[in-house]
Amino acid sequence: MFNLFPSTLRRCAALLGCAAALAHADTNPTQERADRFLALVNASYQALYTVESNAQWDAATDVSPVHDAASEVAGKARAAFMGNPALIKETRALLLERKDLNELTVRQLERLLLLSAEGPMTNPDLTRARIAAETAQASTLNGFEFKLHGKPISVNEIDNLLQSSTDLAERQAVWEASKESGKALKPGLVKLRDLRNGVARELGFDDYFALQVAGYGMTTDEMVKLNDEFMRVLRPLYLQLHTWVKYKLAEKYHQPVPKRIPAHWINNRWAQEWDGMVEAANLEPYFKGRTPEWVAKSSEQFYVGLGFPKLPESFWKKSDLYPAEGARKKNTHASAWHVDLENDLRSLQSIEANPWWFTTNHHEFGHIYYFMAYTRPEVPALLRNGANPAFHEGFGELTALAASQVPYLKSLGVLPADFKADENAFLLNNALAPGVPFIFWASGVMTHWEADIYAHNLPASEWNRRWWQYVRDFQGVEPPTERGEEWCDAATKTHINDTPAYYYSYAIAQVFKFQLHDYIAKHILHQPPQSCNYAGNKQVGDFLRSIMAKGQTEDWRKVLKEATGEELSTRAMVEYYAPLMQWLQEQNKGRQIGWE
């Protein structure tokens, strides 16, 4: 691995030298100058991206000092080129003449400037320090050993116990064990907050949060307000769900009905989704006898049925889809990888044969097929990405939503053909996981907390207090006991460490997926959105491909409006759950709604 870097850097340095020379070639018109510059940059970017992705893959799938070191070196190699002052200078100079450039060129240059801001070599010491700190944080995260009563326990085992245990003392012990990693991760996160803000300011951004939302063409305030608006519209439904759930859980655990829900009562470690609550929609028994391999293949079958190609054989050989065995440690968060921005596609998961992994795998394959759709000559390497980050998550979530529909589950043989679904039960189950509570976790807790630490420089001595303030206020959830500043419960969430100031993308994706789903159900399938079946419908595939194939070559607002006929809106999500809202109001008659 190490031998790859010197030759790659030499090639990139030579290309950048050519680009600098072109910048002074007065005889070239502006567009030709930009075309040649971007041809060199795209080739270099793709080469360095591939080297770094391979190194990061090794570090994520087999945690070791050697792999961590290789990942750090690869990150520095990428930054040495992408953050080169000459590259930044030329990019800015060309953008000053954007009136003479076509839209595709401008979009590449704007994307290049955002990528450069992640590792600007205008301050090489700062950038190298950030890369080293990111590598160390990833190693701590990926290699952390959770323990319950002094014995090692895997993340899957933690999740399975929270799904199955009805002993509140045991649940609290498991929940508290899941928070131990935060202690180990806090020092690195404190360091990274300052380093990330530092690199963002090198290129004129106020802070790291501002840099990330710039990918949407938005400011920090605009992004926070957008997410607040999601919560404002959905709050009446959320309060009804919250009320129904706390009464249901109080009955289950033989406890008085609380105002706020104790966090260890909920099956999810962060209460971001409230699954396992609806017996009539419990699919667990229907996965008995299935294998993890079947779960993985079912997602490919979904897309092939829509007219997409089969995954390359290399995907199955190179992916790491199942739980690690023996002493090997790996990142336990499911993810999709476009390693070379061409045909090297991989997924990192720990699939088991159950409903959660079934929908999770469909989500990850949504990413994979998005990669495949925009990997074509018309989309330059710099723009081989979602129209915005939420589009990628949205296609993953759309695939998961489609996979949860009863008609699809029947067509796949998961449910018997004569299965009679309780429509309210399935709609309630869908609303609880991920559905509506997720918005208040993503738009509320995650977005506001990360805006606080990056944009508002919240002192590290107040991080945990602020975290639980938001959990209480936005989610109506509270910890089983007080959590002091010796803990850093935010850091137990993978994204806080390795995908910072990003989580609002998942909230936008939830809203976006319902808009796509609404359009598909009503205008293509002519079926009710709450119970429809994408399976085998090539028109659905054509519709999805028409959006996916564009990558980042067009503004996301334009793409959304052309595809669905409307701007980003919670309308489709509210309408999807309208029948459930009526049912909940009937169920909650006479109950105290909310927690204030």
Side-chain angles (χ1 to χ4, degrees), residues 51-80:
V51 172
E52 185 176 23
S53 293
N54 273 300
Q56 289 176 337
W57 175 264
D58 290 341
T61 56
D62 188 6
V63 180
S64 72
V66 171
H67 289 153
D68 290 342
S71 179
E72 183 176 339
V73 171
K76 289 177 179 176
R78 184 257 309 148

Side-chain angles (χ1 to χ4, degrees), residues 315-338:
F315 171 84
W316 301 106
K317 290 179 179 178
K318 292 184 176 183
S319 290
D320 190 339
L321 296 173
Y322 311 110
E325 296 179 350
R328 180 171 70 98
K329 294 181 179 179
K330 71 175 193 178
N331 187 307
T332 57
H333 181 75
S335 54
W337 297 59
H338 197 186

